[in-house]
């Protein structure tokens, strides 16, 4: 039954020429790649306790951390049931599901086969990431750019294996698997040979990415970063490095919202990058003073990002992934609320009278553009979101609060 609040909202938006039905239909088709690592504080299932390393760190000791693949999958099933639409799972190589303990250069598809079966059962797509951190051979915060050829070759092999695994995942699921490459490589203090380090990274990537795969199965992405804990002076894979690399090698470019100077506007980068690369991967995140990976809020940064995707007609060639991890709150709540915030931002963007706004700007009528953008903020977006959740059979408001708390209570005794 249609609620009167939705009917009123539909009329309010129609007065601006906006079709709420079309907006909801479009939103339902946008997959979000939910990151596995929010569920267990980036620990993984290798059975070693190396810690996340590489300058990334989950902080907090909230009860309920998933300790096994089965626990993580149960938590994910719960999370997806409370997120409207059909989505993807973004898996890291350190999340293998096996009784064996292969090193990173000995991983095989079969170590991840259970994830693929589970993804099939749950109608999910899979994305993948080689894990270049939390390993003795990454102890110097140098991997693909390490001066030691043996260490570079170890990580190249890991990267090659991960591409094979990702391609097979894509093949099995009939949906291209985005395999994202992020390396922590960098220097705490000012290096004196940046050129050598970057040349080594480039050469390693070239070898790793040499084999061609069908794009229907595998999409390679490279992720840049400004700095991390312990690599404050120089990150080898900087934004300029990877922007150039992605253009030259025709890979996706991954823009992580926490990987730039805190005053930079990441939404502003989308249109610039999209003119030179075919497809973009986003790691939607929330940095606070540094790459702190806070759970995303429905804030101006996220709204601006969603607006650029919609206004710039970039949804078809942008893969929306999430990258946050908070261990001070319920991890399943973090997944659900964070993912829904991304969707709410997209819905708000889809509910804008884009052509009207763009026409005002083209006429240089900045006063009208200003008046409109501010007045439109008062439209009843919430009623459309409620209707969307209802149609997708997921709860909202107090029911969602209770659902999240009940599940959290059921996992709180994990030690
Ligand atoms: C776990 C992820 O690979 C990692 O967060 C990476 O994407 C990143 O953003 C590192 O800062
Ligand atoms: Mn990231």
């Amino acid at each position: 039954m249609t609620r009167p609040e939705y009917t009123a909202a539909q009329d309010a938006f129609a007065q601006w020429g906006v079709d709420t039905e079309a907006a909801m239909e479009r939103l339902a088709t946008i997959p979000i790649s939910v990151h596995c690592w929010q569920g267990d504080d980036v620990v993984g299932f290798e059975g070693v306790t190396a810690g996340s390393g590489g300058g990334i760190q989950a902080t907090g000791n909230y009860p309920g951390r998933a300790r096994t693949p089965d626990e993580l999958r149960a938590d994910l099933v719960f999370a997806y049931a409370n997120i409207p639409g059909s989505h993807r799972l973004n898996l890291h190589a350190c999340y293998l599901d096996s009784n064996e303990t292969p090193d990173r250069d000995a991983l095989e598809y079969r170590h991840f086969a259970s994830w693929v079966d589970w993804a099939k059962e749950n109608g999910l797509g899979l994305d993948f990431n080689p894990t270049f951190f939390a390993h003795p051979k990454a102890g110097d915060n140098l991997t693909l750019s390490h001066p030691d050829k043996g260490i570079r070759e170890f990580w190249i092999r890991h990267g090659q294996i991960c591409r094979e695994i990702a391609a097979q995942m894509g093949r099995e699921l009939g949906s291209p698997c985005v395999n994202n490459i992020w390396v922590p490589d960098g220097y705490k203090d000012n290096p004196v040979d940046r050129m050598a380090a970057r040349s080594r990274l480039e050469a390693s990537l070239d070898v790793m990415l040499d084999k061609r795969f069908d794009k229907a199965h595998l999409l390679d992405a490279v992720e840049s970063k400004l700095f991390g804990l312990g690599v404050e002076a120089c990150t080898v894979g900087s934004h300029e490095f990877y922007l150039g690399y992605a253009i030259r090698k025709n890979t996706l470019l991954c823009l992580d919202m926490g990987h730039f100077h805190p005053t930079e506007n990441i939404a502003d980068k989308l249109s610039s990058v999209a003119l030179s690369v075919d497809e973009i991967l986003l790691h939607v995140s929330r940095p606070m003073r540094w790459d702190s990976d806070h759970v995303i809020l429905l804030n101006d940064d996220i709204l601006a990002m969603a607006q650029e995707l919609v206004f710039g007609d970039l949804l078809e060639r942008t893969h929306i992934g999430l990258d946050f991890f908070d261990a001070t709150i319920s991890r399943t709540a973090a997944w659900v609320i964070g993912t829904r915030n991304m969707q709410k931002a997209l819905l708000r963007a889809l509910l804008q009278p884009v052509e009207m706004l763009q026409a005002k700007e083209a006429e240089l009528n900045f006063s009208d553009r200003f008046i409109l953008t501010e007045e439109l903020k008062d439209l009843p977006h919430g009623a459309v979101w409620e209707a969307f959740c209802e149609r997708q059979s997921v709860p909202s408001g107090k029911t969602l609060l209770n659902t999240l708390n009940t599940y959290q209570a059921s996992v709180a005794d994990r030690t």
Side-chain angles (χ1 to χ4, degrees), residues 223 256 259 283 323:
E223 179 177 3
D256 182 312
H259 287 192
H283 273 189
D323 190 2

Side-chain angles (χ1 to χ4, degrees), residues 31-42:
I32 310 287
S33 192
V34 176
H35 52 314
C36 69
W37 52 94
Q38 163 61 65
D40 79 328
D41 312 339
V42 211

Side-chain angles (χ1 to χ4, degrees), residues 118-279:
W118 174 82
K120 276 183 192 161
E121 277 161 32
N122 288 277
L124 299 163
L126 281 183
D127 296 312
F128 202 57
N129 307 258
T131 308
F132 290 99
F133 51 87
H135 189 280
K137 286 196 164 66
D140 299 319
N141 273 336
L142 293 169
T143 61
L144 292 178
S145 73
H146 202 291
D148 183 313
K149 187 163 176 274
I151 293 185
R152 288 202 303 280
E153 282 173 354
F154 174 86
W155 289 114
I156 289 170
R157 181 83 194 115
H158 174 61
Q160 289 170 327
I161 286 171
C162 286
R163 292 183 76 223
E164 298 283 350
I165 294 169
Q168 195 162 342
M169 286 176 170
R171 208 174 297 125
E172 290 286 332
L173 293 169
S175 165
C177 177
V178 177
N179 184 52
N180 180 51
I181 299 161
W182 172 71
V183 297
D185 296 36
Y187 295 94
K188 183 175 179 69
D189 219 333
N190 297 321
V192 292
D193 203 350
R194 287 179 159 88
M195 183 58 97
R198 290 193 165 122
S199 301
R200 287 192 296 265
L201 177 56
E202 182 190 45
S204 296
L205 288 168
D206 284 354
V207 178
M208 223 173 89
L209 296 171
D210 185 49
K211 181 168 172 183
R212 298 278 134 218
F213 287 88
D214 187 337
K215 288 208 171 209
H217 304 142
L218 174 70
L219 295 170
D220 296 296
V222 288
E223 179 177 3
S224 68
K225 189 160 180 172
L226 176 62
F227 79 99
L229 281 183
V231 293
E232 288 83 359
C234 169
T235 290
V236 183
S238 62
H239 180 56
E240 291 73 14
F241 175 91
Y242 277 126
L243 178 61
Y245 195 86
I247 295 169
R248 278 200 313 287
K249 303 289 177 171
N250 197 21
T251 70
L252 277 64
L253 181 71
C254 175
L255 297 176
D256 182 312
M257 292 175 75
H259 287 192
F260 294 85
H261 189 279
T263 63
E264 278 186 89
N265 175 353
I266 318 309
D268 179 55
K269 298 180 189 299
L270 288 176
S271 47
S272 302
V273 163
L275 288 172
S276 295
V277 302
D278 289 342
E279 294 184 51

